[in-house]
Structures are given as C-alpha cells and as structure tokens.
Amino acid sequence: MAGRGCGQRGDNGWSEWGGYMAAKKRKLEEQFDKDCSNNAKQLERKSNIFHGISIFVDGHTEPPADELKKLMMEHGGVYHAYYSKDKVTYFISNNLPYAKIRKLKPNDKVVRSQWITDSIKQNKLLPTYDYEMYKDITKSRGQTELNFKRTEPMRPITSDFNVPNSDEEENNSIEKSSSSSSETEDIQAEDDDHLSALDAKHPKFLETFLKRSRLHYLSSTAVAKKVYVQDLRQKLEHRQLIEKRREELKNNIQRSERDYLFKLNDEKKDKIYMHIDMDCFFVSVATRNQPELRDQPIAITHSKGKKSTTTNEHQFYSRSELASCNYAARQYGIKNGMYLGKAQELCRNHQAKLLCLPYDYEGFHEVSDRFYDIILSYTLDVEAVSCDEMYVDLTELIIYLKPLHPLTFVSLLREEIQLNTKCPCSAGLASNMLLARLATRQAKPNGQCYIEKGYEQEFISKQKIIDLPGIGSSILDKLQQTSLHKSIETCKHVQNLFSLEKLKSVLGTKQGQTIYDMTRGIDIRTLAKDYSPKSISIDINYGIRFQTFDELNLFIKQLATELQKRLQQAKQKGKQLTVKIRVRSVNAPIVTEKFMGCGKTDDSSRLVNLHSFTDDLTIIELETIKLLKQMNFVVSDLRGIGITITQLQSTIKNSHGKDMHGTRTLFDCNQFRVPKLTITTDDIQNIDEPSESSVTRKRPIQQDQTTSVVPKKLTRHDCYTPGQIDPRVMNELPAEIRQEVEEHLKNPPTTLGINSELHQINIAEKSFTQVMDHLDEAVLNELPPEMRREITIAQKLRKIESKYPPVGGKRLVSAPVSSTLINKEKSNAFNVLMNSPQKQPIPKKTTNPIKKWHTETILNEENTVPIPLNEKKLNTNQQQQQQQQPSIAGCTSLNDVKLMLREWIESSDEPNQIDLDLFQNYLFDLLNSYNAEMVHQLLIYGLLQLKTLTKTIWTDNFQILIDSVQTRFRQMYGGATMDLS
Ligand code: DCP
Ligand code: CA
Ligand code: CA
C-alpha cells in the first residue's frame, strides 16, 4: 500500500509527528484519487461544476462529510480528509470551533455545506458570498488576530474593534431583522486593551463593553437623573434658589396681551403638564460648536461611514446603527436606530451625503446637566425620563406666574436652554402627561405646542396609533385583524370601531383599558417623582466563553463590581439575589451562528435571600458564585449570565417620608388605580432582626449593613412623632383617635420612671392598636415604607394572636413591663408583640417541654394544648404565610434542602460563616412561618450527617447554630426546646 511505502524512517520523517501526518495526508489524497477512479464506473460523473475546487470538511455538516466527499467526486471537485494550506480552497463547516476560528488565515474561507448542495441543485458553481461564515476583514488591516465578523444574519456590530456592539447584547435587546453582510468600515485602530478585550475572559471585557454601549449610557444617565432630582428635593437651599428665580422672572417679565387672556381654572384644579425633550440630542450636542453644519444630514454612529454603498452595495452595506440623526437627515426618511447603510442609501437617492460624527459622551453629560439644572431652577415638580427628556407639572408655577401665559414661560425657558447649551429643544403642554408628550412630537423641531382645554378630542383623534407611547406594530396588527377591512390608523378609527369590551377581548383587560384610554386622550397619571426600581441587574449575553470555573469567577467579580456600581448609583440596596444562566443546548453547535453570541440555550435561574439589604461587592460576588456552583452546567457551555438584585430598598428617604413609587408607563397606570399591599417573609425577617443578634455579631460587615440599611424600626411612640406622621395620614384617622394622638403629642410624658413608662406604653399600645384597626389600605399606602411594613406585620401578628387566646388575660397593657421592654432595641412593634409574656401560646408550666413538643407536633395530632403547629391549619393568615415558603439557595422542599445540606457538609471541612448565617436565617424564616417541624427535621438530618463524618469544626459550628435556633424556638414556643436527641 502507498501508506506502507512511505513508512520508511529517514525520508519522510516518520519519527516526527509532522512526518507521520504528511504521509497520512498523502495517503488519503491518493485514496481519494483511487476512489474516484474506482468509483468512476459506479459513480457517474454528473458535472464538472467543482472543477478546481478542493474542500476540507470540519465538524458536523449537513449532508455529512462522507456524502460531501461523494458529491465532490460526482461533480469534479477534490475532497481532502486533512487540511492543507496549499491545496484546500474552502473550509466546509457549519460550526467551526472557536479555537479553529482563531487560527484562520486572512485568505481562508469558511463556507457552509449548503453552498455545495445549492450549487449542485442549480447546476452551477454559486458564489460563496452568501454562504461564508466568517468574512475576512484582516486583509485591509494586516491583522492576524481574530477579526472575523459574521456575514450571516446577526445583530449589528457597531464597535470599531472586536468588543461587540454592547448595545445589542446587554439585556437581550430586540433583534433586528437583518439584511445582508457585515460592516467593514467600522474597523478602526483602537488601543490594545480594546483589541484584546475580545471575550469575557479578558479582565477589562466588561468595562470596555459598557464604555462602548450607548444603551448603557442611556439607562445609567436616566437613573442618575432620577436620583439627582430626588436628591435635590431634600435640599432647602435649592428651594430658596427656586424662590429667587421665580421672583426674578415675575419681576422682569414684559407681559403681552396673550398673557392677560390666559386663565387657568385653578379652582377646578385644572392641571397643566409640560413634556420637554431636546431635539436630535446626540447630533445637536456633537454640532453645538459648529452650527454651520446643521443644515446637512448628520448622524451619530460608531462608524465613520467613509465607505459608502458605491460599486458593490452588497459588500459595503453598513450595519452600524445610527444613534441619532438630525432633522435634515430625517427629511429623507432617515430615523434614529436605522442602519448606516440604509441611511446612506436614502441620502444617495436625494443626491445628498450623510455626515457621520462620533459620540461625544462628555458633551452629552454637560448639556444634559445644564438642561436639567435650568428647569429645576424653576420647579421640582419634575419627573426625569432620560438624559434629554422630562415631564414637568407646571400647575403650581403657572398659578404663581399669573397672568403669564404658559407658552410665554415655556418660550423663555427654551430660550434659556438654547443659550446655555447651544442646543434646541421642544416642549408640549396639555392637561395630562400623554397629551403633553404627543404635543411635543407635534412641536418638533425647536418648537412648542399647547393642547388647550376644549381642543383635546380634536387633537387626539388625529393622532396615529403607532405614535402613541408603547404601541408597537403587534398591537396594531391585532386591531387591524379584528377590524377586517377597515383601516386602523388613527385614534379616531379606534374610537369609532372598538368599544371598551371589544378592546379588552382583543388585547386583554389591562392593555385593552390602556388603549381605550389613550385613544381618547385619557391619562390619569401624576408625576412619579421618586425613583424606586423593582430590580437592578446586569446581564451579559455576549462573549461568554470560559474554559474553567476560575475564569468564570474572575468575570463574576467584574459583574459584581458593575452591579454594585448600579445599586449605588440608584441608591438602592437589595435583599434577594438571582442568578440567571444561559447554557448551550445539547444539540446546539459549539460555535454560535452569531459571533460570540449565545446560540440556542437552555436557561435557568436560582435565587437566594440575603441576610440583609446590601450592595456589598463581596456578598454579591460570593452569593453569585455559590448559586452558580449549585447549578449543574458545563462551564465551557455557558453563553450568558445575569445577576439581578430584587427586594430593593432606597438608601435615601424622600422629603415627605413617602414611599417612593417608580416611574411607570401608561401601561402600568391601571395598577395604580388599586393600590396593592404585599408582604413577604422577608419583611417579617427584616422587622424581626434576631434580638439575640448572633448573626450580626458574628459578621461585622453585615452588622454594619444591617444597622445602616434596615430602616429605623417603628415604635409606638414613633407613631406620635410629628415628623413621622404625614399630615394626610393624620387627617384620615377617625376623629377620636386623632384627638388622642394630638393630645399625646401636646403632652408627652416627661418622666422616665417605670410607672410613667408603663403609662406611656398603655396609652401608646391602646392607640396603636386602634390606629392599626382603623387604617385602611389607602392610608397605609401613604405611610413611609418601613412604617407601613411594620404596621402591616403588627396587624398580621395581631390577627394570628387573636387565634391564640392569651393564657394570662389581656396582653401588654396590663403586663408587668420589664425595663428591657422599653429599651430602644426592643421597642419596635414586632419585638414588643413577640416578647410579650402573654403572647406565648403554650402554657409555661409544661413539665417536659422537650418531649411534649416532639410527640404533640409530630406524632399526636389530637393534643389539647394549643400549640402553633396544629393551629396553622386553622388560620388563613398563616396559610398565606406558608405559601410564601422560605427558601434557601432556591430550594424550598424538605428534600431539596436536605440534599443541599448534605452537599454542603460533604463539600468542605469547615463551613463558611456567611453560609452558616444564611442557613440560620433560613431556619428562623421557617420558624417565623410556623414550620418548626421542618426546622426540626433539618437539624436532625444535619446532626446525622455529621455523626458519620469526623469534621469537628463543622460539628462545633453546627452546635452553635442549633443553640441559636433553640433560643429562638424557646422565645416563640413558650420555653419549649426541640428534642434533637
Ligand atoms: N438614542 C439612541 N438610540 C436610539 C434612540 C435614541 O442611542 N434608538 C439616543 C440618541 C438620541 C438620544 O438617545 O439623541 C435621545 O433620544 P430621543 O428619542 O429623544 O431622540 P433624539 O433626541 O435623537 O431626537 P428627537 O428630536 O426625536 O427627540
Ligand atoms: Ca430628544
Ligand atoms: Ca428623548
């Protein structure tokens, strides 16, 4: 055989790997030739279309390699079983591994197998362009490193280097339906860090990624503005500034006839809202010092747009996205977010040239700050929307400036903005926020528009549905489908063709109601002045390619750092952490269609309740890693990862001590009609920070967090503190109670002796109870969140208590009050209730509490002693609580937690203190939700596990944990101890 013939040492380098390989390749080539001639008789030569083409097949293809080999034989091509630089003209692959992509040379072409089958179908050699997997762009730059971009449909890559178009990758933004090839003109030399920050293994990947993400810029500045406005409301000196500015304005203004004609019916409580938005913000900023440019079409893009679609449109069609374009460009149909290639084409159709300018982030910040500061110097009735946009409730200011016409004020304001920023803006005025926003649209560019009373219906009926905020083509399609042949374009059409019921049946109750309201110009929102996000997260679904868990850990640090930054910027801390992962699906190719993207993935998530409200980097990092370790996945298959912090609490308090409602869209409006009050086990946990404080004492960092973040707990006396009761809440109280509270405020007890304390508690307790009984949900909602939470929990507890008739008569009021009861730590609502001796549901004279508890709760359902575990079945409140099962590391069922416990014990010689604290907290949660049985079983299980192992540190720590749980148990169950023998 030819192979054997080559197998002599010396000539052919058999002693070396390369020699062996060379020989083997040659052998296979000869084999192919031989096969061709052997098969010539059986395999009819069908065509010669692949003459001169030699292929190398890599990885799984469809049809498979053997079939491709046969096809090459039949159609005049050559098939190589091994890759040879000189001989192979095309790589055929449908999913080239990443490691191999890295090795591709500038002239290498990777073509999908479909190119072969399609060519055969059409009986001609098709151009490979449409089948190429990676387009070689290195030639022009002389780069040898990875510079391949997908030519397949993919999200646009606007970056100038290999770090992706972050805008499209973070937070899974909507994918664009794509046209054709990759952009080539975006490539510019960037600094080395950027060039090498190719995937998430790079220590600067995230930083580089976010720096180039305009979506990150937009979302982070929006948050910053909301927080800024919120902060300013706390500042007395700012209020003084406003007064001064208003006075100046009032004194200096020259009134026109129009001003005297305007009348705002303030007795009828007419509202006047302004929506104000900068015109083509990014472009205006970028050209603020070159106004002469503004008449020509301009866009802001990462690409310089030098190579326009000239000779070969297909090849140079840029998919770099326009962040913003000016109004000169818009007259040709160009829009924000459009691909550069498309915009250039539109310009060319009008014999115009699009000028592409770079992002000027510094300028955006500067102009945005000035824009905000000017408006905020007149009023704080502002809802920040984004870096270039806000809503203002002008009602109060307009009343103050009477008889000034609102439009006179707005034109002065806009002039001031133009003068200070060199950028134009437009404003809309109306009686509600929706109409004001639509009026801005009408006013643009550089204009203002007021939809006065009486003209609202006429205005709204002409508006296009698609221009309404939040309405996309899918809603429009649904409406169109139901209306059969009639065209649905304007609000008038919807008004005429759809009743409320019909809209609800087509779009669902909430959306139906919203569309009904919007198309009639109805908007009941008021400004959401305070920023209160539901969650803060970071999600990266690009460039995630790790080989080891250590690499992943390093990336988690980057993510945790960014998440901490976001939490701090938003002035929030959270108590729940969720990790979401996207893992390559079993059948999905290792190399994704979209370069460095996710491909088809299976997604899963896990959450953990944190010990306290936190924004701590280390905790975020450690908890994330812990959760990841519990999730079963192969690290090299990870394609996306996200961390979300929920159960947030603001680290600042607003001026009214009110709950901070987040900005809501019109779509959320309905939910504001019915205020909801929810309470979670975490709330209970929060109020009931263990008085024995074993958790916090053990961990100084967390103690800090606990003390600095957990809001000051409500005492009964706090209920009477003037600063803490919103006057509106006072007004809502029944007259009799209000009187009592006011009386108490006027004559607060002055002595601190036991007797007076007792008296104080008596009054406080009585009134507190009455207050709680009379507060309805609406009133509760007006209270500061911590006060509200505490009252609600106290209410709950009172209900629970009422199911356990106190053994020793009336509770608290007649109780022998120990001085500790009044001490600061114990005087919050929850602790007083919990620590009340009369509260204990179990008679204190249990002779053998250990045994009794054990038999009664686990074995004997018929006991006569009212013990909590039996009671739980009777009480709906408790049932609700149980439905909110406490969880640890995403596990709630006994079996899961046991499994987790066993793995935890087995996995280490000594437990981590944070883990112990978390586990202890979880057990406390279980106790709080009357699931002592589960606590008992878990402790027994843990002890059994440890019995079989010789882990002394573990055993010691577990015993400390048991002691803490027993202490808590004793407090809750009248001195009983769990039998763990
Ligand atoms: N932006 C972006 N990508 C988009 C839309 C907007 O990067 N798809 C950025 C650039 C914009 C800025 O946000 O300049 C403000 O967005 P607007 O929607 O307010 O749009 P413009 O200010 O550009 O134009 P308009 O005059 O219509 O407000
Ligand atoms: Ca704008
Ligand atoms: Ca805007």
Side-chain angles (χ1 to χ4, degrees), residues 167 176 214-215 217-218 277-284 300 321-327 330 335-338 359 364 386-389 424 426 440-441 444-445:
D167 304 344
K176 301 227 166 189
R214 74 178 202 281
L215 295 189
Y217 166 81
L218 292 173
D277 183 77
M278 307 289 292
D279 297 330
C280 51
F281 182 54
F282 283 12
V283 178
S284 300
I300 303 298
E321 238 181 86
L322 308 187
S324 177
C325 59
N326 67 350
Y327 282 79
R330 289 184 204 192
K335 291 177 180 162
N336 285 2
M338 191 178 259
Y359 289 72
F364 303 154
S386 69
C387 58
D388 80 327
E389 181 179 347
S426 302
T440 307
R441 203 186 165 83
K444 273 180 178 285

Side-chain angles (χ1 to χ4, degrees), residues 16 54 61 71 115 125 176 219 222 286 310 343 365 448 587 762 788 832 865:
E16 291 170 57
S54 51
T61 52
L71 291 174
W115 169 62
L125 186 68
K176 301 227 166 189
S219 63
T310 49
H365 278 298
Q448 53 191 44
N587 300 324
N762 272 340
R788 193 175 62 202
V832 174
V865 184

Side-chain angles (χ1 to χ4, degrees), residues 872-886:
K872 70 182 180 183
K873 294 192 181 98
L874 305 172
N875 189 310
T876 47
N877 250 314
Q878 284 167 259
Q879 275 172 3
Q880 275 166 12
Q881 283 194 346
Q882 280 160 10
Q883 278 160 18
Q884 296 167 353
Q885 271 267 46

